[in-house]
Amino acid sequence: MRTAARLSDCEIFCTVIDNYGDAAVSWRLARQLAGEHHLPVRLWLNDLRPLAALEPAIRIDTLRQQFAGVDIRFWPQTEFPDTPPAALVIAAFGCQLPETHLERMARQQPPPRWLNLEYLSAEAWVDDCHTLPSPHPRLPLVQYFFFPGFTERSGGLLREHDLLARRDAFRADPAAQTAFWQRINCPPPPSGALRLSLFGYAHAPLARALAHWARAPGPVWCAVPDSPLADAAEAWLAAGNTGNVHLQRLPFLSQHDYDRLLWSCDANFVRGEDSLIRAIWAGRPLVWNIYPQDQDTHAAKLDALLDRMLAQTEPTLQTTVRHFWHAWNRLDDDELPALDWLASLPAQLTHLQAWCATLANQEDLATQIAKFARMV
Ligand code: TRH
C-alpha cells in the first residue's frame, strides 16, 4: 500500500447489458464522486438510452455532455477516442476496457488506480474477495476487485450523504408530497389504503398476488411504473373482479421521482440491484425480484440477502417473508402466501427501519472507493 495520495480525476466505464441497472449504478457513483468527493468524473457509456430514462435531461444524440458535474461520454465500440486516462479508472461490472486505453494507462506514471466494480451480493465470500488484486497478464497494471456489500469488510452500499435526511424531510412535508403526485400526474393514493409500489420482471406471479389482495381486509393501492409488471397488471385489471385492489399505472419515473414513490409507499417490490438498495434506504418492507441467472445461481444470492435482512426477526416472520420471496421469484411451486405477507407488514416495518439505520452506519461505496483509490 502506498500512503494517501492526491486523486486528480476519475473515469467510469460501463457497458449496458440490458435493463437499467448497469447505467443506474454507474450514474449514481459518478454523481456522488463528483458532487461529494469533488472529483472531475468522466462516465463512458456504450448506450445512453437507459441513462436518459433515469434522468430525462440527458440527451441520447450527443457524444459528450455535462450534467450534475459529470462529463458524460458516449463510448463507441469501434474506435476509442485517444483520451488521457484518469488517475482512477473504474470498470463497472467487469466490462472490458479499450485495448488502446489500457496501453495508455500502462504508460502513465504513476499508473492509474484501476478498480473493477463488481455486482452486489450479500453472500459471505464477498468479504474475502473485496480489494483482491489481479495483475494484468501482459501490461504493468494491477486491477483491484471492489465489491459492494452489507458488511464492514465489504465496499459498502451506494448512499448519498444526505439521502436519509432528504427522505425524512419529504415524509414530513405534505406540500412536497402533493407536488410530487402532481408532477408525476397521479392522483394521491386514497387515504387509509395500503400503498404498494410494484417493479419487477415478467416472471413474477403478479396476477396471483393481485387475486389474493383483492380479498384483503382493506383497500390495497398498487402503483405500477412502466415495467413488464405494468402489462401484467393491466391484463389482470381487464379480467375484472379487482375487489379491494386499486391499480395505478405510472410512467417510468426519473430516479429522483422513483425515490419519492418508494418513500411514499408502505412496501416496495423492486428488482435487480439498484432499486433494491433504494428500497432498503426507504426503510420500509420490500420484496426483491432478483435478476435471474443461469443454473439458478441467483437463488443463493436471494437467500443470502434474506439471511441478513431477517437475522434479528421471529421465526414465523422469517418463514412468511422467505416463503413469499421464493414464490415471487418462482424458486418453488408453492402457493404465494400473499395475505400472510400483507398481515406481516407491521412487524416487517419495525425490523426494516432498524436494518436500514444499521446499514446507514456503514461507510458508503463512493466514499470507500475514493479512500481506497487514494491509498492503493
Ligand atoms: O433494470 P434492472 O433490472 O437492472 C438489472 C440489474 O441491475 C441486474 O443486477 C443487472 O445484472 C441487469 O440489470 C443487467 O434493475 P435495477 O438495478 O433495479 O435498475 C433499475 C433502475 O431504474 C433503478 O435505478 C431504479 C430506476 N427506476 C426509475 O428511475 N424509475 C422507475 O420508474 C423505475 C421503476 C425504476
Side-chain angles (χ1 to χ4, degrees):
M1 286 254 176
R2 296 194 292 227
T3 48
R6 233 180 62 77
L7 199 59
S8 56
D9 56 350
C10 164
E11 61 188 337
I12 302 174
F13 285 83
C14 173
T15 309
V16 173
I17 312 259
D18 58 5
N19 302 330
Y20 303 99
D22 310 290
V25 170
S26 307
W27 174 232
R28 284 195 203 283
L29 177 62
R31 258 185 341 207
Q32 224 186 312
L33 287 172
E36 296 183 22
H37 298 275
H38 314 294
L39 280 175
V41 179
R42 260 194 314 274
L43 172 62
W44 294 98
L45 275 172
N46 68 334
D47 185 352
L48 294 169
R49 288 168 300 177
L51 188 56
L54 301 166
E55 174 46 73
I58 305 278
R59 292 174 48 196
I60 56 170
D61 57 353
T62 179
L63 293 179
R64 185 172 180 179
Q65 60 199 303
Q66 194 79 21
F67 191 82
V70 179
D71 181 8
I72 303 164
R73 306 278 187 103
F74 175 66
W75 176 5
Q77 296 301 288
T78 44
E79 202 168 327
F80 188 72
D82 193 21
T83 317
L88 167 62
V89 178
I90 301 174
F93 312 120
C95 71
Q96 293 295 315
L97 300 190
E99 203 55 36
T100 50
H101 203 62
L102 278 173
E103 276 157 15
R104 279 201 72 155
M105 284 163 61
R107 289 198 298 273
Q108 190 154 294
Q109 276 311 319
R113 291 69 145 178
W114 176 21
L115 305 187
N116 178 22
L117 176 64
E118 288 287 345
Y119 284 108
L120 174 72
S121 175
E123 291 162 294
W125 58 263
V126 161
D127 287 352
D128 294 328
C129 297
H130 178 52
T131 69
L132 282 185
S134 165
H136 189 278
R138 188 171 48 83
L139 299 167
L141 288 170
V142 178
Q143 184 184 38
Y144 292 86
F145 293 103
F146 213 88
F147 280 86
F150 295 83
T151 67
E152 291 299 324
R153 287 180 56 211
S154 75
L157 302 169
L158 274 176
R159 173 175 43 82
E160 302 88 278
H161 75 282
D162 59 349
L163 177 66
L164 301 197
R166 283 190 287 114
R167 177 200 70 185
D168 294 343
F170 177 80
R171 285 189 178 144
D173 184 348
Q177 293 163 24
T178 305
F180 164 64
W181 297 119
Q182 280 171 356
R183 188 167 62 244
I184 66 167
N185 206 11
C186 171
S191 72
L194 185 80
R195 306 169 178 196
L196 306 180
S197 81
L198 303 173
F199 178 45
Y201 300 115
H203 63 276
L206 180 69
R208 274 163 59 198
L210 294 174
H212 283 291
W213 296 333
R215 295 182 282 105
V220 182
W221 180 84
C222 300
V224 199
D226 197 45
S227 85
L229 288 193
D231 297 331
E234 249 170 33
W236 183 81
L237 195 62
N241 254 340
T242 53
N244 258 339
V245 169
H246 302 258
L247 280 173
Q248 177 65 54
R249 190 166 183 161
L250 295 175
F252 193 84
L253 305 175
S254 67
Q255 269 187 340
H256 176 87
D257 280 336
Y258 184 58
D259 269 341
R260 276 143 194 82
L261 180 67
L262 298 175
W263 300 344
S264 302
C265 286
D266 299 301
N268 295 299
F269 286 63
V270 288
R271 74 181 202 190
E273 177 163 331
D274 191 58
S275 55
L276 166 69
I277 299 306
R278 302 314 275 190
I280 291 174
W281 297 136
R284 299 261 163 96
L286 62 114
V287 179
W288 188 25
N289 199 190
I290 188 170
Y291 187 76
Q293 288 172 292
D294 292 341
Q295 294 162 344
D296 278 358
T297 40
H298 58 285
K301 263 177 110 167
L302 187 94
D303 277 328
L305 186 78
L306 278 168
D307 290 345
R308 290 200 190 280
M309 190 181 93
L310 299 172
Q312 309 292 330
T313 56
E314 296 297 317
T316 44
L317 183 63
Q318 290 194 15
T319 308
T320 304
V321 173
R322 196 176 287 273
H323 194 158
F324 187 78
W325 280 41
H326 277 207
W328 185 249
N329 284 280
R330 294 196 185 271
L331 292 179
D332 50 40
D333 295 328
D334 287 357
E335 191 40 43
L336 192 71
L339 288 175
D340 289 348
W341 175 83
L342 218 58
S344 75
L345 285 178
Q348 287 193 54
L349 173 62
T350 311
H351 177 69
L352 260 295
Q353 282 170 330
W355 194 47
C356 170
T358 306
L359 288 173
N361 288 328
Q362 235 185 300
E363 200 154 53
D364 70 273
L365 180 73
T367 303
Q368 293 208 43
I369 286 180
K371 272 194 182 168
F372 183 76
R374 288 189 168 101
M375 296 305 293
V376 174

